[in-house]
Amino acid sequence: MIVIVSAMVRIPSPIAQCVLFKMPMKLSVLHVDMDAFFAAVEVLDNPSLRGKPLLVGGTGKRGVVSTASYEAREFGCHSAQPMAVALKKCPHAIVVSPRGERYREKSEQIFEIFSNYTPSVEPISVDEAFLDIQGTERLFGSPLHIGEEIKESILANTGLTASVGIASNKFLAKLSSDLEKPDGMTVMDQERFDHQFPGLPISKIWGLGKATLIQFEKVGVRTMGDMRNLSREWLVRRFGLSGEAFYKLCRGIDGRVVTPDHRAKSIGQEQTFREDIANPETVRHNLLGEVEQVGYRLRKHKLKAKRITLKIRYGDFQTITRGMTLSRPTDSTHILWEMAKELFDKWVESNFYPVRLIGATASHFADEDAQLEMFPDQFAEKRRQMDLGTDAILEKFGKNSIRRGASIHRGEHHHTDRRKNPE
Ligand code: TTP
Ligand code: MG
């Protein structure tokens, strides 16, 4: 306890003063996250599964749970768990293979609905997005009204439920959408922020893993309110840049803005796991799904990227990136995955630690150099056809992803023109 006393904030910093003097919270960001997405789609298409413990995922030896229905979660099953472990916890669970194309179809319907409300939609994954709702009140009414309408529209058009969080920034909006899941609607207004936020466990901080939790527990910090008692200096000394982030987040401060794809300088996709993942295969499985999404979004926006970057966050919030630059821009999933896989495998070989978050980002958009087209890559057309085909039936984590991954792994169609530039 001595540690805490010595770390108490004595003079409020400018940020702490903002909090003390209560800057009004403008409800400008909406976060939507579908409930048990893959499982919910399966139930929709096969109503006899409703109310039953359901695991969607790979059934093979190294099968991984993509998601578990809420009924299966009661037995301790969850995403990114080896299927064998999940079945030990819930032997009577029904296992279903993922059907990526169906999830993509549903995902597109959902994103179509978002775009009716604002052009500023930032996709985070197939079933999740931030919406900037500033300036939409005149057209659509209060933030709460917009949130309710979006939920209703999703249900009416897709038959699925979503959880919505509305707040003054991305961090609070994402945290809020999770508070009343499933079918939740949470507005983090000033009153709720004052009353509920300080008591929330710090595990609600997006990306804060077990190792960091333990470090905080050791100094008696469990809640956001507890964390506020630690000085900025202490947090930075202990956690570096992450400490700076913690200092702000536990005060509900987050400066990140909603960045829609068409304004983005990069297109990325990331996955935060609910617990640290110690099995590299599981992480790789998720990474492949992300790269497929990134490729799909590049092609959708007619963009080609020259650089791919992996983001890896450990359980202690420490984040590293590994990047590679190509000599010519690409929108091919095959090439992006080859790069990503190489970066990933190199990192796994050198120092693998349990992972809390994995992300893939394509950046440095450029036009294809016309001159290079004079020497076409003989496999390019084949890859292009494959991408066009899979765009229609794109799988985030499903069977086709695994097949695609396996074929790439064996080095089929192996031809790339690239310059490596690991960071
Ligand atoms: P999530 O939104 O994280 O989870 P969820 O929608 O299944 O459940 P929740 O109600 O808690 O939001 O992920 C969306 C989908 O992405 C999920 O249905 C399956 C897939 N997925 C994976 O394939 N692997 C993973 O590790 C995670 C977390 C998700
Ligand atoms: Mg979800």
Side-chain angles (χ1 to χ4, degrees):
M1 284 314 105
I2 292 166
V3 184
I4 286 200
V5 173
S6 69
M8 288 284 196
V9 179
R10 285 177 204 98
I11 304 161
S13 66
I15 285 172
Q17 283 175 28
C18 282
V19 174
L20 286 177
F21 298 130
K22 291 233 176 101
M23 305 279 272
M25 297 184 106
K26 198 165 175 301
L27 298 171
S28 55
V29 183
L30 196 143
H31 179 259
V32 188
D33 190 331
M34 302 302 292
D35 303 319
F37 185 49
F38 291 6
V41 176
E42 293 305 331
V43 171
L44 183 76
D45 292 349
N46 180 0
S48 73
L49 296 172
R50 189 170 300 280
K52 299 191 177 143
L54 178 65
L55 301 168
V56 181
T59 47
K61 246 190 183 168
R62 290 193 301 194
V64 174
V65 177
S66 293
T67 197
S69 67
Y70 277 78
E71 291 81 3
R73 289 182 199 189
E74 280 175 22
F75 293 85
C77 306
H78 58 77
S79 297
Q81 192 173 45
M83 187 56 84
V85 174
L87 281 171
K88 272 218 179 90
K89 290 186 183 279
C90 185
H92 60 294
I94 299 164
V95 180
V96 176
S97 291
R99 292 180 303 143
E101 77 249 48
R102 183 73 177 129
Y103 310 145
R104 164 134 306 281
E105 236 172 65
K106 288 286 162 194
S107 170
E108 279 185 358
Q109 286 176 359
I110 295 154
F111 278 83
E112 182 74 38
I113 293 167
F114 298 158
S115 67
N116 293 335
Y117 290 87
T118 169
S120 194
V121 177
E122 181 179 335
I124 301 297
S125 78
V126 264
D127 82 324
E128 187 186 344
F130 287 110
L131 278 65
D132 182 344
I133 54 165
Q134 285 185 83
T136 57
E137 289 206 18
R138 274 215 171 149
L139 271 175
F140 302 111
S142 69
L144 173 63
H145 186 76
I146 296 175
E148 279 173 345
E149 242 191 71
I150 290 178
K151 268 170 63 83
E152 278 164 24
S153 181
I154 291 177
L155 185 61
N157 286 285
T158 68
L160 300 169
T161 63
S163 293
V164 169
I166 307 178
S168 56
N169 60 45
K170 285 164 82 167
F171 164 61
L172 290 176
K174 178 154 168 100
L175 175 143
S176 300
S177 72
D178 202 45
L179 288 179
E180 292 168 48
K181 247 183 183 299
D183 204 12
M185 172 74 230
T186 310
V187 179
M188 187 58 76
D189 55 14
Q190 189 70 57
E191 203 189 330
R192 195 188 251 272
F193 180 76
D194 292 344
H195 287 104
Q196 189 178 13
F197 184 79
L200 291 177
I202 56 172
S203 56
K204 295 272 176 205
I205 293 178
W206 186 10
L208 189 148
K210 251 189 208 152
T212 314
L213 267 184
I214 291 169
Q215 292 198 54
F216 276 115
E217 255 165 32
K218 279 189 187 147
V219 295
V221 170
R222 277 194 47 257
T223 65
M224 305 286 183
D226 296 339
M227 198 188 262
R228 283 189 199 167
N229 289 329
L230 302 171
S231 72
R232 176 186 246 145
E233 293 69 30
W234 188 88
L235 283 164
V236 171
R237 216 181 314 127
R238 189 75 172 252
F239 299 102
L241 279 179
S242 307
E244 181 71 32
F246 294 148
Y247 183 79
K248 291 181 178 154
L249 295 177
C250 72
R251 287 168 175 75
I253 296 165
D254 177 16
R256 290 169 295 180
V257 294
V258 176
T259 312
D261 273 0
H262 64 264
R263 273 215 331 254
K265 289 207 171 85
S266 62
I267 284 188
Q269 182 104 13
E270 60 185 43
Q271 183 79 62
T272 304
F273 301 110
R274 291 196 169 86
E275 53 189 56
D276 304 342
I277 304 296
N279 178 0
E281 271 306 314
T282 308
V283 182
R284 180 209 290 265
H285 169 82
N286 280 281
L287 179 62
L288 172 59
E290 290 168 1
V291 170
E292 296 233 328
Q293 285 289 311
V294 167
Y296 169 77
R297 279 161 61 195
L298 283 173
R299 295 188 292 278
K300 191 166 141 193
H301 294 280
K302 308 210 175 339
L303 294 167
K304 291 190 175 187
K306 282 190 83 171
R307 190 167 174 79
I308 178 130
T309 310
L310 303 194
K311 176 168 152 191
I312 298 151
R313 178 169 294 155
Y314 300 122
D316 63 358
F317 218 76
Q318 193 199 148
T319 308
I320 59 161
T321 57
R322 293 280 179 273
M324 209 183 261
T325 303
L326 294 115
S327 57
R328 55 198 284 193
T330 188
D331 62 359
S332 150
T333 296
H334 177 94
I335 294 180
L336 293 170
W337 176 236
E338 261 197 13
M339 305 294 112
K341 192 159 62 68
E342 191 171 328
L343 289 167
F344 181 78
D345 289 345
K346 235 186 231 159
W347 167 71
V348 169
E349 270 165 36
S350 61
N351 54 347
F352 183 86
Y353 295 109
V355 170
R356 181 69 173 176
L357 174 154
I358 184 81
T361 298
S363 62
H364 296 49
F365 300 145
D367 291 326
E368 184 110 33
D369 185 339
Q371 278 226 304
L372 283 169
E373 288 296 288
M374 289 170 62
F375 307 100
D377 165 358
Q378 55 173 316
F379 296 101
E381 187 47 34
K382 206 168 179 180
R383 285 197 302 260
R384 177 121 220 111
Q385 290 305 327
M386 194 169 148
D387 280 340
L388 290 177
T390 49
D391 281 354
I393 51 159
L394 188 77
E395 297 235 348
K396 186 172 180 207
F397 299 102
K399 268 190 284 179
N400 286 357
S401 306
I402 292 162
R403 238 181 281 139
R404 177 187 274 262
S407 72
I408 288 169
H409 196 70
R410 286 197 302 274
E412 287 169 16
H413 322 126
H414 189 98
H415 176 92
T416 48
D417 172 17
R418 69 194 192 219
R419 183 161 26 99
K420 286 182 218 166
N421 184 14
E423 278 173 355

